Amino acid sequence: MAKILMKGNEAVAEAAIRSGCRLYFAYPITPQSELIEYMARMMPKVDGTFIQAESEIAAINMVYGAAGCGKRVMTSSSSPGISLKMEGISYIAGAELPCVIINVQRGGPGLGDIQPAQGDYFQATKGGGHGDYRLIVLAPSSVQEFADMAADAFDLADKYRNPVMILADGMLGQMMEPVEFRPAKSDEEVAEMWKQHKSWCINPNEDGDKKHHHEINSLEIDPLVLEKHVNNLSKKYAEIKKNEIRYEKYELSDDNEILCVAWGTASRVVKSAINELKKEGKSIGLVRPINVWPFPYDEIAKAIGPKVKKIYVFELNTGQMVDDVKIAAAGKVPVEFWGKVGGVVFTPAEIKEKLEAALKE
Amino acid sequence: MAKILMKGNEAVAEAAIRSGCRLYFAYPITPQSELIEYMARMMPKVDGTFIQAESEIAAINMVYGAAGCGKRVMTSSSSPGISLKMEGISYIAGAELPCVIINVQRGGPGLGDIQPAQGDYFQATKGGGHGDYRLIVLAPSSVQEFADMAADAFDLADKYRNPVMILADGMLGQMMEPVEFRPAKSDEEVAEMWKQHKSWCINPNEDGDKKHHHEINSLEIDPLVLEKHVNNLSKKYAEIKKNEIRYEKYELSDDNEILCVAWGTASRVVKSAINELKKEGKSIGLVRPINVWPFPYDEIAKAIGPKVKKIYVFELNTGQMVDDVKIAAAGKVPVEFWGKVGGVVFTPAEIKEKLEAALKE
Amino acid sequence: MEIIATRPESLTQTPFTYCPGCLHGVAHRLIAEAIDEHGLINKMAGVAPVGCSVFAYKFFNMDMAEAAHGRAPAVATGIKRARPDMHVFTYQGDGDLAAIGTAEIVHAANRGEHISVFFVNNAIYGMTGGQMAPTTLPDMKTTTSPYGRNTDDIGFPIRVCELLATLIAPYYIERVSLLSPADILKAKKAVNKAIQYNKEGRGFTFVEFISTCPTNWGMDPIKSRDWAKENMLPFFKTGCYRDKGKGVE
Amino acid sequence: MEIIATRPESLTQTPFTYCPGCLHGVAHRLIAEAIDEHGLINKMAGVAPVGCSVFAYKFFNMDMAEAAHGRAPAVATGIKRARPDMHVFTYQGDGDLAAIGTAEIVHAANRGEHISVFFVNNAIYGMTGGQMAPTTLPDMKTTTSPYGRNTDDIGFPIRVCELLATLIAPYYIERVSLLSPADILKAKKAVNKAIQYNKEGRGFTFVEFISTCPTNWGMDPIKSRDWAKENMLPFFKTGCYRDKGKGVE
Amino acid sequence: MSRITVDPNYCKGCGLCIAACPKKIIRFSENINAKGYHYAEGFEQEKCIACKMCYVTCPDVAITVEK
Amino acid sequence: MSRITVDPNYCKGCGLCIAACPKKIIRFSENINAKGYHYAEGFEQEKCIACKMCYVTCPDVAITVEK
Amino acid sequence: MTTEMICAGFGGQGVLTIGKFIAQASMKEGKNVSWLPSYGPEMRGGTANVSTVVSDEAIASPIVSFPDILVALNQPSIDKFAPMIRPGGILIYNTSMCPNGCKREDITQISAPMSDIANEIGNPMVLNMLAIGVIIGKTALIKYETIADDLTSYMKAKNPELLELNLKAIKRGIEIGKS
Amino acid sequence: MTTEMICAGFGGQGVLTIGKFIAQASMKEGKNVSWLPSYGPEMRGGTANVSTVVSDEAIASPIVSFPDILVALNQPSIDKFAPMIRPGGILIYNTSMCPNGCKREDITQISAPMSDIANEIGNPMVLNMLAIGVIIGKTALIKYETIADDLTSYMKAKNPELLELNLKAIKRGIEIGKS
Ligand SMILES: Cc1ncc(C[n+]2csc(CCOP(=O)(O)OP(=O)(O)O)c2C)c(N)n1
Ligand SMILES: Cc1ncc(C[n+]2csc(CCOP(=O)(O)OP(=O)(O)O)c2C)c(N)n1
Ligand code: SF4
Ligand code: SF4
Ligand code: SF4
Ligand code: SF4
Ligand code: SF4
Ligand code: SF4
Ligand SMILES: [Mg+2]
Ligand SMILES: [Mg+2]
């Protein structure tokens, strides 16, 4: 397939459809509305379901229902709308339902603005909803990756029976870049896919089995039973931590004087600054967590080269992932943070300046 | 005043009224319903407002309106209901409105159960809502402290124009202990209190000032303006971090072989185990964060005595505050975690066993 | 001798967790019978609410989902859209449906979602210990209206059938009572009609049951029925508010 | 010469951010005039929604709160309960009020909350770029109903006045149009009545404006008015649905 | 000839069937079940007219009617 | 004697006042304002009957009517 | 010293009140106390229970896993909680509702047909006061006077007759406890 | 090499399309590209703008703060963005809508009454194609053939007449750019 120039919001929608998503429920919000509009146009063409829900809350609960049928289902929103889904997400995680949730982040808190930001890292990775649960969280940094992650997200969701979030931002949603799609699943493949969940999901009792009774549920009124359930969830999360760490190494070497850590959109800008400094003979490495949960703690620790005197974390927020980096660094080298907020995206020049100052220290 | 034997849910409600809270909006949920029921009975007696909102979302938005008038206002719920308030809380933080929110935590995720748990630590302290904001979070460990914190919470909320959360749990809500109340504010004091907010809050334009125009708002569509606003919030949070660290030292000494960190209900059980071990000649200290945000990072670091070979964190969750403790420890000593989940509360015997094993290592 | 009445197949063997004399059980049985009678047991999925009937997912003998408080119609929408070959119902209380779930029921009804909604109105929050519901009667005392529901301050009970009947899409809306054997027999007809229309793919069907809560009303089961007859029925008029199959619009 | 018509005091000097010919501005002016005329400028507080009128907090010359999407009636409740000595109104679009905010408007109305709600129905989500609203007409194309609103699939527009009129507490409910100068003059009377009742502490008052969205409808301001007259008015009948002051129940 | 059987595992002794029976041939048993309820039982079953009113009223679906 | 004034800072050139004026004495100016709109202006003001229809229709409250 | 107690029975038997009065009296006598009920839908129709802790020291955890004293007003309560009584602890139970009793021999058992005695005294509602009396008689955990004062200040005006019945029940309980 | 461009103008002038065609053609010519529009309510009635980056390397940030090329179709766009053009950069503007022009002397300025020329060509809608032509003529950032192919495959069937007008406009623009 040739590359197509496409908006991130549309590319991820297209990729989701190609991966077998035939159910999508959402509520409009800037800067993700092209995603819902793309689905509105395209779902009827693939005999899929698009419903504009009455609210983000209704949307996530429609997802709960459809995911309870083992079908590939997705919702999307942007920061304030994602906050409204917190109860629903906790339910979905508790009931172990596979689904994909996209957050095209914007500036906050509150109504904030509609420009790109990374202020929802904590919410996505630490559980903005109540109780002990985890989302698998993928953080794209280009339109191509955004699209690829749609496919990955559905596979991960099915594999672990766990909700997966793609944590993008307004820039990735609104920008166009060339994108190449993976081959689309055939109608037959799509029709068959849910069967991997047949043993637990809602489905017609075709052979009239008297014992056919599946419960989609997160309630266990007996604390000892709930304890067991939560412990099982923990085991699953441990498994995910073992298998699903994904990160990019950029210019890592034993010469690195500084190690940068950045994710998503922010990482692009940091790379740019690193390139500039490289031209000036400075060695700076970058670890970019691709999955921000599970988080590459050990991998970051290992990336601290012998000459590294500082880890520098750059985010489009007031400092969130930096906490995880501090845990990873475990006091080996100091961890510094710098960020921009409110929907303002830092420039390569600004990052370069920060790094230069740090090099001089 | 003599001590009264009272449920935590009722004691905190009574304390709130005494501190001048005359507006309370909430929706029933176990295990916090006695709180709303107490308010239903008592608010009419002090000419206050109690409204059973149509949902937790409506309740938090009623709080937004009343707090926008500078009045002392409160809401309460338990875990799933608190998740529904996330958008509203982010708005309140963004608009810098003073108010008090109580979370009487129960087991999660999802509908979970109704027994005590501490699974909402991340949500409360890292911002379960979107964007960069912080709540001041107070974590009581007894009915007396729960009640005292109501008064403290209102004062902090007013001082910093920031929402304050009291992060309790089903045990503290349901249990009775003796409680002594601080003197009640007089009707006149209550009537006057809002005036500290007169310069920004909604209030009648008594002197017909043509420029009287206050905006209760979290929207700044221009990212540069929002950036400034969020940076101002950060400055405020830095100020809070400087002033409002609160923690309890228990049996800390240079002899400590293990340092425990625990909060809220969990800390009571840990104390009990420490006492038992003390009788056996073992020295184990405890730091109990009283305010879990801001978090006593430095204080915990300082509490690591010369003989401490491990920090042990006990929580009624799968490990949340332990992340903050790791940041505090910064690799100086290993940090271990053990917890119980699903509404099961660990016993002193279980904690003792864990500590004994650790002492032997 | 032949069995002429016994537990329907569409109920599991699990005993209900309701208080003695609580009419939730009657509503359950009527729904289960209708499913049996229309031969839908293997193609039906149900959605339980949060409320005393939260455990309905254990009581109905088919695939069931337990929804978040108030969101059953949205969950049912998700199921029905994912599985158009199945039939879907929700079961909800008055706090669940008429308070926190107001938006979800209005919009599912307005979309004409092809589901059946069974709504048990007992004028109170049973599960959480007797707080006021949107359907709590004027002056009625509950734990959150301890001095009686003050209509000057917080208004009147919501009549859900009347409200939903302002929408165009719903196919069938009826209010029935469970307060006497005769009423239950009438209620059975309404439930059967809802399930029949559901089977036929007609659209959104809705049955409201006037019920009781002996425990939180503080009355024995028989007295609570009488109280409901005297106090609820005059306000919540039973009858058919919409039946497109019969031209009642 | 004497000024007989000019910007009311209850509007700030800030120019509206609406598109040319967007009737949000007319609704703003009517409300501001009514506040002026009833001398309430110093005792009034307003609540802006999320929607094109999100910046209403900048346009009304009094204390204003900007509410989360759909929650204006809850915010107004908080304000009115905290400041019973003030008068409170909300201003909301059809996405805000009739979609995400369904529960909040129904319950504020049902409580008979002493506020005035001004509801601008333009059959679309203006702010976010023309998505379908609950009030979008059958077969109408929007960015999320690109093939026209399919009533078989997602039902019909919600008529909010009719729906709220099933509740007992609301004191005054009227639907007006802004589609011609004559209609605007009628609308002015309704707005004035709402504000007057509000001033007198009568209870919940509600005015729905049939309006336009030239930008997202893709029509010029004049054509969009004509389109609305032809298509919206037959469905959304103007008139008084409740006026307890005049015995219209 | 008709008769009813009450399953004590389901019956909670609410008494609604007793009130419903036109023949007044249901009463509380002297025994209690596992949950502590005096469950219902039929007596003088020859009078039973199989009207099913007991079944119809029973909220715990504890009654089987045979004919 | 009456007249109208259109404030170019508010006017967005929507033309609704032009359509509303019974006397047809409002038109678009040849000039544009800061936002790039050809704003409205009155002409032949002696014909103005101060009916206020222009004011009533104007969504941007840009018109003042004097009499 | 710390005394941990569980009181359990059917919903209507007033077991929560037993714990509350004990806790309240202990508090008045200068002790630290805590009272933690079972709560939620499990109570509905089923059994209720409450953990009460009385101590000279600060109370670490209000949850009682291994009670020193169990008051069981019905059989299911014995079945559920009696196995957890600390060796050497006390089981007080109501033979009227506990046909099977308890087989443990490493604890002290005191039993009486308390429901019947309550009816004898004149009101089945005084069952819980009777149980309080038994606790006092057996353990001297609190003083009769403290609880009598409490009850008096609380009920004298409202219902002097019931007060008399209650005090009578406590005294009768004390006798049983001492015997 | 990396070229960063901003195109700006009133909402209806098709500036987003300028960026899109440039990005698309560059992509076809094997470059890395990105296209980032301004979005949200600020667009309403006001001005629109788009940042386009074309590069041989991976594109770090699609945000253009200091453009190499600015295409300004109205005066507010010059006022807002011209100060940010890199010294030595290029400003292309539409004198029909930019009465005040730009005072900077450290950049190359190319201007023409583009709205008038578009009208001349026969359709005001071809304004943006004209601008594309100017870019090609001045910078050789992309080839005429690439964009002509693009347009042809896209419009030939649907609207051959408009295609002709568009190609004409591009050619005319190239002339202007070269002159
Ligand atoms: C989000 C959320 N809010 C509140 C609750 C607590 N809650 C559980 S059931 C219930 C009310 C149930 O009342 P109703 O729907 O009338 O059902 P009933 O018990 O009367 O049958 C409430 C408020 C909850 N579980 N989740
Ligand atoms: C929680 C949340 N969801 C969605 C949005 C995005 N949003 C902003 S305005 C709007 C719709 C506005 O439509 P309407 O209420 O009809 O007002 P109009 O713009 O048409 O006047 C939406 C969906 C938001 N800001 N917050
Ligand atoms: S509390 Fe009320 S509604 Fe719930 S089971 Fe008991 S009687 Fe029924
Ligand atoms: S988008 Fe529509 S509703 Fe919004 S300001 Fe423009 S014309 Fe008015
Ligand atoms: S079937 Fe009729 S007659 Fe027989 S026991 Fe039941 S109610 Fe009585
Ligand atoms: S109606 Fe059912 S539950 Fe009630 S007493 Fe009769 S058999 Fe038992
Ligand atoms: S007042 Fe009337 S006549 Fe005068 S300009 Fe306005 S519309 Fe025309
Ligand atoms: S109606 Fe108002 S905004 Fe429109 S052209 Fe006339 S003066 Fe200008
Ligand atoms: Mg109910
Ligand atoms: Mg609208």
Side-chain angles (χ1 to χ4, degrees), chain B residues 32-51:
Chain B
Q32 69 84 53
S33 292
E34 295 81 4
L35 208 172
I36 178 169
E37 289 166 6
Y38 192 90
M39 287 298 198
R41 285 199 304 280
M42 293 307 177
M43 273 298 189
K45 299 196 180 174
V46 294
D47 270 338
T49 293
F50 157 73
I51 300 271

PDB file of all heavy atoms in Angstrom, chain B residues 32-51:
ATOM      1  N   GLN B  32     -20.829   5.537  52.747  1.00  0.00           N
ATOM      2  CA  GLN B  32     -20.816   6.906  53.261  1.00  0.00           C
ATOM      3  C   GLN B  32     -22.214   7.445  53.517  1.00  0.00           C
ATOM      4  O   GLN B  32     -22.386   8.618  53.850  1.00  0.00           O
ATOM      5  CB  GLN B  32     -20.043   7.873  52.352  1.00  0.00           C
ATOM      6  CG  GLN B  32     -20.671   8.182  50.991  1.00  0.00           C
ATOM      7  CD  GLN B  32     -21.721   9.264  50.912  1.00  0.00           C
ATOM      8  OE1 GLN B  32     -21.504  10.379  51.360  1.00  0.00           O
ATOM      9  NE2 GLN B  32     -22.869   8.917  50.340  1.00  0.00           N
ATOM     10  N   SER B  33     -23.243   6.612  53.374  1.00  0.00           N
ATOM     11  CA  SER B  33     -24.606   7.148  53.408  1.00  0.00           C
ATOM     12  C   SER B  33     -24.993   7.813  54.723  1.00  0.00           C
ATOM     13  O   SER B  33     -25.805   8.736  54.733  1.00  0.00           O
ATOM     14  CB  SER B  33     -25.609   6.069  53.012  1.00  0.00           C
ATOM     15  OG  SER B  33     -25.452   5.755  51.639  1.00  0.00           O
ATOM     16  N   GLU B  34     -24.401   7.377  55.835  1.00  0.00           N
ATOM     17  CA  GLU B  34     -24.732   8.046  57.096  1.00  0.00           C
ATOM     18  C   GLU B  34     -24.357   9.519  57.053  1.00  0.00           C
ATOM     19  O   GLU B  34     -24.937  10.349  57.752  1.00  0.00           O
ATOM     20  CB  GLU B  34     -24.010   7.398  58.275  1.00  0.00           C
ATOM     21  CG  GLU B  34     -24.427   5.967  58.574  1.00  0.00           C
ATOM     22  CD  GLU B  34     -23.750   4.963  57.668  1.00  0.00           C
ATOM     23  OE1 GLU B  34     -22.887   5.359  56.848  1.00  0.00           O
ATOM     24  OE2 GLU B  34     -24.086   3.772  57.776  1.00  0.00           O
ATOM     25  N   LEU B  35     -23.356   9.835  56.268  1.00  0.00           N
ATOM     26  CA  LEU B  35     -22.912  11.224  56.163  1.00  0.00           C
ATOM     27  C   LEU B  35     -24.023  12.062  55.529  1.00  0.00           C
ATOM     28  O   LEU B  35     -24.428  13.104  56.048  1.00  0.00           O
ATOM     29  CB  LEU B  35     -21.623  11.252  55.317  1.00  0.00           C
ATOM     30  CG  LEU B  35     -20.611  12.358  55.547  1.00  0.00           C
ATOM     31  CD1 LEU B  35     -19.349  12.078  54.747  1.00  0.00           C
ATOM     32  CD2 LEU B  35     -21.120  13.741  55.271  1.00  0.00           C
ATOM     33  N   ILE B  36     -24.526  11.589  54.402  1.00  0.00           N
ATOM     34  CA  ILE B  36     -25.592  12.327  53.716  1.00  0.00           C
ATOM     35  C   ILE B  36     -26.854  12.345  54.569  1.00  0.00           C
ATOM     36  O   ILE B  36     -27.551  13.361  54.652  1.00  0.00           O
ATOM     37  CB  ILE B  36     -25.815  11.753  52.289  1.00  0.00           C
ATOM     38  CG1 ILE B  36     -26.949  12.445  51.540  1.00  0.00           C
ATOM     39  CG2 ILE B  36     -26.069  10.281  52.270  1.00  0.00           C
ATOM     40  CD1 ILE B  36     -26.981  12.065  50.059  1.00  0.00           C
ATOM     41  N   GLU B  37     -27.104  11.252  55.283  1.00  0.00           N
ATOM     42  CA  GLU B  37     -28.311  11.201  56.107  1.00  0.00           C
ATOM     43  C   GLU B  37     -28.209  12.151  57.305  1.00  0.00           C
ATOM     44  O   GLU B  37     -29.191  12.790  57.690  1.00  0.00           O
ATOM     45  CB  GLU B  37     -28.570   9.757  56.568  1.00  0.00           C
ATOM     46  CG  GLU B  37     -29.028   8.875  55.398  1.00  0.00           C
ATOM     47  CD  GLU B  37     -29.001   7.379  55.670  1.00  0.00           C
ATOM     48  OE1 GLU B  37     -28.729   6.986  56.828  1.00  0.00           O
ATOM     49  OE2 GLU B  37     -29.247   6.614  54.723  1.00  0.00           O
ATOM     50  N   TYR B  38     -27.002  12.253  57.836  1.00  0.00           N
ATOM     51  CA  TYR B  38     -26.792  13.192  58.937  1.00  0.00           C
ATOM     52  C   TYR B  38     -27.025  14.623  58.452  1.00  0.00           C
ATOM     53  O   TYR B  38     -27.678  15.424  59.115  1.00  0.00           O
ATOM     54  CB  TYR B  38     -25.367  13.040  59.476  1.00  0.00           C
ATOM     55  CG  TYR B  38     -25.127  13.739  60.788  1.00  0.00           C
ATOM     56  CD1 TYR B  38     -25.351  13.084  61.991  1.00  0.00           C
ATOM     57  CD2 TYR B  38     -24.668  15.056  60.837  1.00  0.00           C
ATOM     58  CE1 TYR B  38     -25.125  13.716  63.204  1.00  0.00           C
ATOM     59  CE2 TYR B  38     -24.434  15.700  62.043  1.00  0.00           C
ATOM     60  CZ  TYR B  38     -24.671  15.027  63.233  1.00  0.00           C
ATOM     61  OH  TYR B  38     -24.451  15.655  64.424  1.00  0.00           O
ATOM     62  N   MET B  39     -26.502  14.917  57.286  1.00  0.00           N
ATOM     63  CA  MET B  39     -26.684  16.250  56.724  1.00  0.00           C
ATOM     64  C   MET B  39     -28.167  16.525  56.453  1.00  0.00           C
ATOM     65  O   MET B  39     -28.654  17.632  56.664  1.00  0.00           O
ATOM     66  CB  MET B  39     -25.882  16.377  55.433  1.00  0.00           C
ATOM     67  CG  MET B  39     -24.376  16.472  55.663  1.00  0.00           C
ATOM     68  SD  MET B  39     -23.952  17.943  56.631  1.00  0.00           S
ATOM     69  CE  MET B  39     -22.198  18.085  56.264  1.00  0.00           C
ATOM     70  N   ALA B  40     -28.865  15.499  55.968  1.00  0.00           N
ATOM     71  CA  ALA B  40     -30.298  15.661  55.699  1.00  0.00           C
ATOM     72  C   ALA B  40     -31.043  16.038  56.973  1.00  0.00           C
ATOM     73  O   ALA B  40     -31.949  16.863  56.967  1.00  0.00           O
ATOM     74  CB  ALA B  40     -30.872  14.375  55.106  1.00  0.00           C
ATOM     75  N   ARG B  41     -30.616  15.442  58.081  1.00  0.00           N
ATOM     76  CA  ARG B  41     -31.271  15.751  59.354  1.00  0.00           C
ATOM     77  C   ARG B  41     -30.863  17.099  59.906  1.00  0.00           C
ATOM     78  O   ARG B  41     -31.687  17.848  60.425  1.00  0.00           O
ATOM     79  CB  ARG B  41     -30.914  14.688  60.404  1.00  0.00           C
ATOM     80  CG  ARG B  41     -31.607  13.349  60.236  1.00  0.00           C
ATOM     81  CD  ARG B  41     -31.574  12.521  61.514  1.00  0.00           C
ATOM     82  NE  ARG B  41     -30.224  12.291  62.033  1.00  0.00           N
ATOM     83  CZ  ARG B  41     -29.374  11.371  61.560  1.00  0.00           C
ATOM     84  NH1 ARG B  41     -29.731  10.605  60.543  1.00  0.00           N
ATOM     85  NH2 ARG B  41     -28.186  11.216  62.095  1.00  0.00           N
ATOM     86  N   MET B  42     -29.566  17.395  59.805  1.00  0.00           N
ATOM     87  CA  MET B  42     -29.039  18.536  60.539  1.00  0.00           C
ATOM     88  C   MET B  42     -29.057  19.856  59.779  1.00  0.00           C
ATOM     89  O   MET B  42     -29.180  20.911  60.391  1.00  0.00           O
ATOM     90  CB  MET B  42     -27.606  18.243  60.998  1.00  0.00           C
ATOM     91  CG  MET B  42     -27.541  17.139  62.032  1.00  0.00           C
ATOM     92  SD  MET B  42     -28.661  17.489  63.429  1.00  0.00           S
ATOM     93  CE  MET B  42     -28.432  16.000  64.388  1.00  0.00           C
ATOM     94  N   MET B  43     -28.867  19.823  58.479  1.00  0.00           N
ATOM     95  CA  MET B  43     -28.770  21.085  57.751  1.00  0.00           C
ATOM     96  C   MET B  43     -30.009  21.973  57.954  1.00  0.00           C
ATOM     97  O   MET B  43     -29.858  23.174  58.170  1.00  0.00           O
ATOM     98  CB  MET B  43     -28.507  20.825  56.265  1.00  0.00           C
ATOM     99  CG  MET B  43     -27.028  20.672  55.939  1.00  0.00           C
ATOM    100  SD  MET B  43     -26.096  22.175  56.316  1.00  0.00           S
ATOM    101  CE  MET B  43     -24.503  21.757  55.588  1.00  0.00           C
ATOM    102  N   PRO B  44     -31.206  21.389  57.909  1.00  0.00           N
ATOM    103  CA  PRO B  44     -32.372  22.258  58.130  1.00  0.00           C
ATOM    104  C   PRO B  44     -32.327  22.951  59.495  1.00  0.00           C
ATOM    105  O   PRO B  44     -32.821  24.061  59.641  1.00  0.00           O
ATOM    106  CB  PRO B  44     -33.560  21.288  58.048  1.00  0.00           C
ATOM    107  CG  PRO B  44     -33.066  20.111  57.275  1.00  0.00           C
ATOM    108  CD  PRO B  44     -31.600  20.006  57.589  1.00  0.00           C
ATOM    109  N   LYS B  45     -31.700  22.299  60.467  1.00  0.00           N
ATOM    110  CA  LYS B  45     -31.664  22.882  61.810  1.00  0.00           C
ATOM    111  C   LYS B  45     -30.734  24.080  61.916  1.00  0.00           C
ATOM    112  O   LYS B  45     -30.811  24.840  62.879  1.00  0.00           O
ATOM    113  CB  LYS B  45     -31.228  21.822  62.831  1.00  0.00           C
ATOM    114  CG  LYS B  45     -32.190  20.648  62.869  1.00  0.00           C
ATOM    115  CD  LYS B  45     -32.004  19.799  64.103  1.00  0.00           C
ATOM    116  CE  LYS B  45     -33.013  18.663  64.041  1.00  0.00           C
ATOM    117  NZ  LYS B  45     -32.843  17.690  65.110  1.00  0.00           N
ATOM    118  N   VAL B  46     -29.803  24.198  60.995  1.00  0.00           N
ATOM    119  CA  VAL B  46     -28.896  25.353  61.047  1.00  0.00           C
ATOM    120  C   VAL B  46     -29.154  26.272  59.851  1.00  0.00           C
ATOM    121  O   VAL B  46     -28.285  27.041  59.449  1.00  0.00           O
ATOM    122  CB  VAL B  46     -27.411  24.907  61.057  1.00  0.00           C
ATOM    123  CG1 VAL B  46     -27.090  24.168  62.336  1.00  0.00           C
ATOM    124  CG2 VAL B  46     -27.063  24.035  59.834  1.00  0.00           C
ATOM    125  N   ASP B  47     -30.358  26.157  59.290  1.00  0.00           N
ATOM    126  CA  ASP B  47     -30.700  26.968  58.125  1.00  0.00           C
ATOM    127  C   ASP B  47     -29.756  26.731  56.955  1.00  0.00           C
ATOM    128  O   ASP B  47     -29.509  27.635  56.157  1.00  0.00           O
ATOM    129  CB  ASP B  47     -30.690  28.458  58.467  1.00  0.00           C
ATOM    130  CG  ASP B  47     -32.056  28.915  58.932  1.00  0.00           C
ATOM    131  OD1 ASP B  47     -33.037  28.219  58.591  1.00  0.00           O
ATOM    132  OD2 ASP B  47     -32.139  29.947  59.616  1.00  0.00           O
ATOM    133  N   GLY B  48     -29.232  25.537  56.911  1.00  0.00           N
ATOM    134  CA  GLY B  48     -28.310  25.214  55.817  1.00  0.00           C
ATOM    135  C   GLY B  48     -29.036  24.514  54.690  1.00  0.00           C
ATOM    136  O   GLY B  48     -30.233  24.215  54.779  1.00  0.00           O
ATOM    137  N   THR B  49     -28.297  24.266  53.628  1.00  0.00           N
ATOM    138  CA  THR B  49     -28.867  23.612  52.453  1.00  0.00           C
ATOM    139  C   THR B  49     -28.345  22.194  52.332  1.00  0.00           C
ATOM    140  O   THR B  49     -27.134  21.972  52.317  1.00  0.00           O
ATOM    141  CB  THR B  49     -28.460  24.357  51.171  1.00  0.00           C
ATOM    142  OG1 THR B  49     -29.080  25.636  51.181  1.00  0.00           O
ATOM    143  CG2 THR B  49     -28.920  23.602  49.921  1.00  0.00           C
ATOM    144  N   PHE B  50     -29.253  21.279  52.257  1.00  0.00           N
ATOM    145  CA  PHE B  50     -28.908  19.918  51.873  1.00  0.00           C
ATOM    146  C   PHE B  50     -29.720  19.584  50.632  1.00  0.00           C
ATOM    147  O   PHE B  50     -30.934  19.707  50.640  1.00  0.00           O
ATOM    148  CB  PHE B  50     -29.233  18.919  52.973  1.00  0.00           C
ATOM    149  CG  PHE B  50     -29.425  17.523  52.435  1.00  0.00           C
ATOM    150  CD1 PHE B  50     -28.330  16.794  52.009  1.00  0.00           C
ATOM    151  CD2 PHE B  50     -30.697  16.965  52.298  1.00  0.00           C
ATOM    152  CE1 PHE B  50     -28.500  15.518  51.469  1.00  0.00           C
ATOM    153  CE2 PHE B  50     -30.873  15.693  51.763  1.00  0.00           C
ATOM    154  CZ  PHE B  50     -29.772  14.966  51.345  1.00  0.00           C
ATOM    155  N   ILE B  51     -29.040  19.171  49.574  1.00  0.00           N
ATOM    156  CA  ILE B  51     -29.756  18.680  48.395  1.00  0.00           C
ATOM    157  C   ILE B  51     -29.204  17.303  48.055  1.00  0.00           C
ATOM    158  O   ILE B  51     -27.991  17.150  47.895  1.00  0.00           O
ATOM    159  CB  ILE B  51     -29.555  19.588  47.164  1.00  0.00           C
ATOM    160  CG1 ILE B  51     -30.053  20.997  47.416  1.00  0.00           C
ATOM    161  CG2 ILE B  51     -30.238  18.985  45.930  1.00  0.00           C
ATOM    162  CD1 ILE B  51     -31.482  21.228  47.074  1.00  0.00           C
TER     163      ILE B  51
END
